[in-house]
Amino acid sequence: MARPATRTPPTPAARDAAGSEWWRTAVIYQIYPRSFADSNGDGIGDLPGITARLDALVELGVDAVWLSPFFTSPQKDAGYDVADYTDVDPLFGTLADFDALLARAHALSLKVIIDLVPNHSSSAHPWFQAALASAPGSPERARYLFRDGLGADGDVPPNNWQSVFGGPAWTRVNEADGTQAPRKAQWYLHLFDTSQPDFDWTNDEVKELFRGVLRFWLDRGVDGFRVDVAHGLAKKEGLPDWTPDPSLGMSDHQEAAPYWAQPGVHPIYRDWHEVLAEYGPDRILTGEAWVEPLSKLADWVRPDEMQQTFNFTFLETPWDGPRLKKVVDDSLAAFGGVGAPSTWVLSNHDVIRHATRLALTPPPPQGEGLGPNTKLYPDDVVGLRRARAATAFMLALPGSAYLYQGEELGLPEVIDLPDSARQDPTFFRTSGANYGRDGARVPLPWDVASPSFGFGPAGVSGPGASRDDASWLPQPATWPSYARDAQLGIPGSTLEFYREALAARRTHHLASNELVWLPSPDPAVLVFRSGAVTVIANTGATPAALPDGRVVLASGPVGTDRVPGDTTAWIVT
Ligand code: GLC
Ligand code: CA
């Protein structure tokens, strides 16, 4: 395939002319609205709750926030099932609440990115309802992927695709016109839950809908969009059968799947790039594209497509010196080759929190999650030590970094959620075989002493009390030690470690410096130089020699001349 011409990163002067290009170096903090802060005591986080807590993010030292969906939605997949793309769900507040949030964030110099969910709508979207009420072959059906079934009665799904959440990717409808049932009743495609029908992105009305959605939010002043399932919008013509080969790695799966990483996604992003450009040079698209290898993912951030894309190859790399070095080199080469910044991420709402994941070698595959029957017993102490070391390594790398709410508190994955509390459709579509992602979504602890640890005004406090009514997923009784106010100003706490890291990253321009590897006698120990800073990350168990100079950040205790295992330090010489 033809590669794009290499784009040299612009000089600082050219950048000013083009805008700040803030996203090349930004630390972007993911807010998961339902679990951040609850203002009205219904146990679910909301927009006014976020607005009231934005100061804490300034105090932390991030540049931008990304909000997971808060749009009108039946919440079958925690809001990634959108019924109205241009309104706020009453659960989270109103459009006026959103405007207030945005104004407050901008007053605090925080950029705001919102989630765009273009692969599918909710089945409650008026378009899908209209499709159900219309006949096969109608223009209403043509906005989605309706097909006739196979077999004499059409009762075999149109192809063999499986949903990401488990089970078939097709559901058969009850035709509105009873005379057609059952033989002619059609099926619709949903790569995720049955409540998330996939759009047909060859349909012009779909394209026009989303141009309008972009403009609606850009007009309100948002700084950009995180594009959900940015590798899935285009499906291979004819929707051919496809069976994943379990012996192949993820990248091979991605190459072959007729619904991932199809070339047809790129014209869509070129079109959106132009819409954003109408609003000046500083609005961005960030792709959630699970695509490997990185050299292929770089296609998403060619000069006329998105500004950024998540680096899940980095996220999925174990805490292992040689493998980390390789993924950093591959990332810088792939993204740099198209003039895009590399991005880095360790946690989000879809994966096992890295304070738990890094204690598991190997962790379960993404989506399986952890629960009482997984029979894996990650060591929280080891996990947090590695998580802090990995974070210190990540925040020293050139480019833009993503943080997920709660990682600055060192929160572990919650493993012992009762089945009755779980809400991830993955759990239900696999009959409980996969626990899914709820363990990473438990509402944040803010204050030791308050009901629901300050998540919201409802609930009870005190030893042994149940917080089930106070937060939509129960917070573990062990969480007071993680509460924000138990860590703020406490030397050595994870929160203070994050604050120091973000401040030193800024002071020493780590996000924009060039990375130069330095020799290391032990492959488990990575050493690189970034401007005046030497970074040493010891992924092994044997202590390493501490480079000369002044330690400006350490993920854990360091000796006068030794960096212990699972520890990262930044040294200024
Ligand atoms: C993305 C979201 C995830 C959601 C899925 C379907 O992967 O991050 O939470 O379930 O898309 O929209
Ligand atoms: Ca609420």
Side-chain angles (χ1 to χ4, degrees):
M1 207 191 342
R3 307 292 307 180
T6 297
R7 184 178 59 169
T8 317
T11 61
R15 255 183 225 182
D16 285 348
S20 72
E21 301 213 331
W22 60 274
W23 41 273
R24 287 185 177 275
T25 54
V27 174
I28 304 173
Y29 180 99
Q30 180 188 358
I31 293 179
Y32 194 65
R34 55 171 44 235
S35 302
F36 189 71
D38 172 22
S39 73
N40 61 355
D42 65 357
I44 301 184
D46 46 51
L47 299 184
I50 296 169
T51 307
R53 296 279 193 183
L54 284 176
D55 291 48
L57 302 183
V58 174
E59 206 168 29
L60 177 62
V62 302
D63 304 297
V65 296
W66 146 38
L67 303 178
S68 281
F70 50 79
F71 316 105
T72 312
S73 162
Q75 304 291 319
K76 301 280 191 209
D77 184 22
Y80 283 97
D81 49 318
V82 181
D84 183 346
Y85 288 89
T86 54
D87 206 351
V88 173
D89 196 282
L91 203 57
F92 299 115
T94 63
L95 269 175
D97 290 330
F98 177 77
D99 290 339
L101 186 163
L102 189 62
R104 178 72 188 144
H106 284 166
L108 294 169
S109 297
L110 289 172
K111 306 278 187 192
V112 178
I113 296 174
I114 64 170
D115 225 300
L116 186 76
V117 189
N119 180 68
H120 44 263
S121 71
S122 161
S123 52
H125 192 285
W127 277 12
F128 191 73
Q129 288 301 312
L132 289 182
S134 303
S138 61
E140 287 83 359
R141 290 237 164 147
R143 297 160 173 161
Y144 294 90
L145 290 159
F146 281 86
R147 293 291 183 274
D148 294 332
L150 306 178
D153 295 328
D155 55 3
V156 177
N159 70 26
N160 71 349
W161 296 358
Q162 296 292 298
S163 148
V164 174
F165 293 158
W170 295 90
T171 291
R172 199 171 196 191
V173 302
N174 293 315
E175 294 296 354
D177 174 357
T179 59
Q180 293 185 329
R183 205 172 65 79
K184 287 189 183 158
Q186 286 197 310
W187 300 70
Y188 67 90
L189 177 72
H190 51 88
L191 290 182
F192 294 89
D193 189 49
T194 48
S195 63
Q196 295 167 299
D198 282 49
F199 282 116
D200 183 343
W201 267 94
T202 63
N203 183 291
D204 286 337
E205 284 185 280
V206 172
K207 295 177 190 165
E208 205 42 49
L209 172 74
F210 278 91
R211 283 186 204 111
V213 172
L214 291 173
R215 290 203 173 93
F216 177 87
W217 294 105
L218 289 165
D219 285 339
R220 295 194 106 81
V222 303
D223 299 290
F225 302 88
R226 173 265 192 192
V227 180
D228 191 62
V229 196
H231 53 315
L233 277 56
K235 278 78 181 175
K236 191 171 202 150
E237 199 162 338
L239 312 182
D241 274 357
W242 183 69
T243 307
D245 178 343
S247 71
L248 293 179
M250 182 188 167
S251 57
D252 303 291
H253 285 239
Q254 302 283 356
E255 291 293 329
Y259 43 82
W260 295 146
Q262 295 297 307
V265 298
H266 297 293
I268 302 170
Y269 304 139
R270 290 193 190 104
D271 183 38
W272 294 358
H273 183 102
E274 301 212 331
V275 174
L276 265 69
E278 292 168 19
Y279 292 80
D282 271 344
R283 317 275 185 126
I284 70 161
L285 296 167
T286 294
E288 188 227 11
W290 292 81
V291 173
E292 289 197 324
L294 284 155
S295 54
K296 177 162 178 154
L297 180 61
D299 285 353
W300 271 247
V301 286
R302 286 177 287 190
D304 57 351
E305 297 198 29
M306 299 191 174
Q307 280 71 16
Q308 290 189 341
T309 185
F310 289 103
N311 189 341
F312 295 121
T313 308
F314 177 75
L315 184 150
E316 293 193 321
T317 301
W319 180 236
D320 171 90
R323 293 183 64 178
L324 283 169
K325 183 166 192 284
K326 178 168 168 24
V327 72
V328 168
D329 283 339
D330 289 352
S331 303
L332 294 175
F335 293 122
V338 290
S342 189
T343 66
W344 314 102
V345 62
L346 288 164
S347 278
N348 64 36
H349 66 293
D350 290 328
V351 302
I352 296 170
R353 282 185 176 277
H354 72 285
T356 297
R357 191 181 70 237
L358 295 178
L360 296 169
T361 46
Q366 192 275 331
E368 276 190 27
L370 290 173
N373 293 330
T374 319
K375 303 270 185 281
L376 288 168
Y377 306 98
D379 181 326
D380 280 355
V381 174
V382 172
L384 183 56
R385 194 165 66 224
R386 286 189 187 153
R388 288 171 53 145
T391 298
F393 179 73
M394 172 177 89
L395 290 176
L397 297 172
S400 175
Y402 279 81
L403 304 179
Y404 174 50
Q405 69 178 39
E407 66 170 89
E408 77 280 19
L409 305 175
L411 291 186
E413 184 83 358
V414 180
I415 298 175
D416 57 356
L417 286 172
D419 285 2
S420 59
R422 292 190 183 270
Q423 300 208 8
D424 186 346
T426 311
F427 182 70
F428 302 105
R429 288 187 61 83
T430 61
S431 308
N434 290 349
Y435 281 104
R437 305 158 294 173
D438 289 320
R441 300 174 174 181
V442 175
L444 293 189
W446 293 88
D447 312 315
V448 176
S450 306
S452 68
F453 306 131
F455 168 63
V460 288
S461 60
S466 160
R467 289 183 172 76
D468 295 11
D469 301 333
S471 71
W472 68 278
L473 286 172
Q475 297 164 302
T478 52
W479 271 22
S481 61
Y482 293 102
R484 186 173 186 276
D485 76 343
Q487 299 194 42
L488 192 64
I490 306 295
S493 71
T494 300
L495 179 60
E496 288 304 319
F497 157 72
Y498 267 77
R499 291 179 66 201
E500 285 165 20
L502 292 170
R505 170 185 161 95
R506 198 182 291 261
T507 306
H508 299 289
H509 311 289
L510 298 184
S512 48
N513 291 337
E514 196 191 339
L515 174 152
V516 181
W517 294 108
L518 298 180
S520 165
D522 178 353
V525 180
L526 300 181
V527 188
F528 66 83
R529 185 94 187 151
S530 172
V533 178
T534 301
V535 175
I536 176 166
N538 186 354
T539 67
T542 314
L546 179 69
D548 288 338
R550 179 171 57 93
V551 175
V552 292
L553 184 80
S555 65
V558 291
T560 47
D561 59 353
R562 287 278 177 271
V563 179
D566 294 339
T567 303
T568 297
W570 299 357
I571 297 106
V572 172
T573 45

